[in-house]
Amino acid sequence: MVHNFNAGPSILPKEVFEQAAAAVLNWNNSGLSILEFGHRTAEFTSVMEEARSLVKELMHLDANHEVLFLHGGASTQFMQVPMNLLDPKDSAAYTDTGVWGSKAIKEAKFFGKVEVVCSSKEKNYNFIPKDFAVPNDSKYLHITTNNTIYGTQWQRIPATSNSLVADMSSDIMSRVLDFNAFDLIYAGAQKNMGPSGVNLVVVNKNILGKIKRAIPTIMDYRNHINEGSMLNTPPVFSVFVCMLTLRWLKSQGGVAAIEKLNNEKAALLYKEIDENEMFTGTTVKEDRSKMNVCFVMNDPGKEADFLKYTQSLGIVGIKGHRSVGGFRASLYNALPISSVLVLVKAMKDFAEKR
Ligand SMILES: *Cc1c(COP(=O)(O)O)cnc(C)c1O
């Protein structure tokens, strides 16, 4: 039995793997693999439509919010967002809460002025800044709702009169938010809603078309909206697996139901980190991520031993990112609570034996 805590690409529900595997061999008794189906066929068009409408349903999106599945991963959105929303004289406000946020800042500078309104960099990104002001003339405020590498998460979305843009790559579909309060949301699918190779974009269509810059065809969100997210060949298999994952999420009771389980999983692991004298969490408590739990050992010399011990129990993917060290356990939607219990027991047993 393997317990997969990988940060991304990451665990998906077992039934999704089974359905995806069957479709690779013979999709819907067509005698063809999903991999050799034309994307303009009625069969695949209906997959794309179901995936888009499941996102609308699960996120309770209003009629202004359009759902797209695009190529290029979240990193392409670092550039595509400012390209569509900023003229060179415009400015946008960015929050610097980790590696991904700072990469978004770097790319936005190609297209307009960037005001970094807050940063937690001097504390190795171990907290979420609370006190900062956003200039009124900022075209939008960009946040990274969950910081995958450092294990912090915005527990409250900042109240702002500015347009809100969010990178939700590592906590999309994990908790209930007022998603309509965002004008643009993007997320690489491979953390919490599907395989790599596709990117979810949710955009309020009313914010588009307000700039003078000429936008290359494939980069203009409006063209993707007009073509039903089929401007060119979409990543067919990735969209299909996202659709299966979204169906699974709906069958579990949707985002509110999965949030309850996610809260339980995170509470179990943080409780052990706080109670076990061998371990310490790396972030300030109030900003702890429920998706990526980062912790170290008080005696770093024991970390290699602990890692080996967990590997013997089938635990994979908990080695921390090199910029934090220690351990990172990712508790995405599909990770069962039983896997968290195995990790917690391993921490207890390891401390008892030594
Ligand atoms: C993983 C990640 C990214 C990068 O995603 P790619 O699809 O590899 O470009 C961006 N932002 C966050 C928050 C991430 O976790």
Side-chain angles (χ1 to χ4, degrees), residues 91-111:
S91 76
Y94 275 71
T95 54
D96 175 26
T97 57
V99 162
W100 300 119
S102 64
K103 289 189 178 186
I105 289 166
K106 179 175 171 230
E107 299 306 305
K109 287 178 178 166
F110 284 102
F111 301 98

Side-chain angles (χ1 to χ4, degrees), residues 72-76 78 100 144 146 148 167-170 188 190-191:
S75 300
T76 299
F78 297 161
W100 300 119
T144 311
N146 183 73
T148 326
D167 175 359
M168 294 195 186
S169 293
S170 52
Q190 71 274 18
K191 309 286 171 36

Side-chain angles (χ1 to χ4, degrees), residues 34-53:
I34 177 85
L35 301 178
E36 58 185 335
F37 248 81
H39 61 290
R40 307 257 176 223
T41 57
E43 288 90 339
F44 182 72
T45 305
S46 85
V47 169
M48 179 62 94
E49 280 320 302
E50 183 174 347
R52 294 172 82 204
S53 78

Side-chain angles (χ1 to χ4, degrees), residues 276-281 295-307 325-327 350-351 354:
N276 191 317
E277 282 171 7
M278 277 201 169
F279 298 92
T280 307
F295 56 102
V296 292
M297 292 185 82
N298 296 328
D299 175 0
K302 292 200 169 80
E303 285 183 349
D305 250 9
F306 178 68
L307 192 64
F327 304 95
F350 190 83
R354 276 147 248 245

Side-chain angles (χ1 to χ4, degrees), residues 8 24 68 85 106-107 130 153 180 185 192 237 247 267 281-282 288 291 293 306 316 320:
V24 167
L68 302 172
L85 302 183
K106 179 175 171 230
E107 299 306 305
K130 313 283 182 319
Q153 189 173 28
N180 292 308
I185 294 166
N192 205 29
F237 189 62
R247 271 187 190 164
T282 56
R288 282 175 163 177
M291 292 281 99
V293 177
F306 178 68
V316 302

